Amino acid sequence: MKNLLIVLSGPSGVGKGTIIKKLLAKGGYALSVSCTTRAMRAGETEGKSYFFISKEQFENMIKENGFLEYSNHFENYYGTPRKFVEEQLESRDVILEIEVDGALKVKQAYPEALLIMVLPPDENELRNRLKKRGTESPEKIEERIKRTDYELSKKSEYDYTVTNGELNGCVALIENILKKEKEAKKHD
Ligand code: 5GP
């Protein structure tokens, strides 16, 4: 396989979405759209942000082996549809934006997957970013901040970590990693 399966993780609010938008704007990547059982937030679009499905639909897809990986966090299921990723990988690099448990499952199934974790410059900055998003209650925000500690505790299992201090710099760093990895694959 000459194409990259890129898994981007990092705590909520670290800016993964913006980074991915910038990467997609450069072209050549397919972004996997996950399924989730959580409620749609303001500003989200069905089929673009997520496929918003019921718990029953999700569990049926699990039974049918329809997920490359899935996990249950924040009281909801989140999963990567297998078919889309496998089809796209035939012709393009594919980006998954998923949390650590899912990412490590992908690595087990596809050891060639490239795991990149985006880190916040500091935790207070992250707290501010999360609060600014304004889509969650204070309790939910706290829950997500606790989850941050867990996610960060897994960073040594990632192939790369990049700090999102300055957006364009961070995107450039990721692009360099991808270029290098792509080159290495050519010689496999
Ligand atoms: P949110 O509810 O803020 O959209 O996402 C919460 C977390 O779920 C984020 O860390 C996001 O990366 C993760 N996530 C989104 N889609 C998937 C998926 O398909 N699988 C897994 N394991 N995590 C996902």
Side-chain angles (χ1 to χ4, degrees), residues 26-113:
K26 317 247 174 191
Y29 302 106
L31 175 66
S32 160
V33 177
S34 297
C35 294
T36 184
T37 57
R38 84 148 161 73
M40 192 189 280
R41 291 190 195 124
E44 290 187 324
T45 317
E46 165 68 23
K48 220 172 157 195
S49 319
Y50 284 103
F51 295 105
F52 295 92
I53 63 176
S54 67
K55 190 165 174 252
E56 195 190 356
Q57 285 172 313
F58 201 103
E59 288 173 347
N60 280 335
M61 266 183 84
I62 295 175
K63 278 189 209 136
E64 291 159 6
N65 196 26
F67 292 112
L68 198 70
E69 63 72 39
Y70 68 92
S71 100
N72 196 317
H73 53 277
F74 303 139
E75 291 157 25
N76 281 295
Y77 281 124
Y78 292 80
T80 306
R82 177 189 300 281
K83 194 163 173 271
F84 176 84
V85 175
E86 291 182 346
E87 279 174 5
Q88 291 295 317
L89 268 179
E90 299 288 324
S91 57
R92 295 196 275 178
D93 299 333
V94 179
I95 304 176
L96 311 185
E97 194 254 275
I98 63 176
E99 51 66 67
V100 290
D101 293 339
L104 297 175
K105 281 184 217 159
V106 171
K107 190 77 177 175
Q108 263 179 1
Y110 294 83
E112 286 187 12

Side-chain angles (χ1 to χ4, degrees), residues 5-42:
L5 178 55
I6 305 153
V7 181
L8 213 67
S9 307
S12 277
V14 81
K16 288 165 289 177
T18 322
I19 291 169
I20 287 172
K21 259 191 215 141
K22 292 230 168 208
L23 289 174
L24 291 179
K26 317 247 174 191
Y29 302 106
L31 175 66
S32 160
V33 177
S34 297
C35 294
T36 184
T37 57
R38 84 148 161 73
M40 192 189 280
R41 291 190 195 124

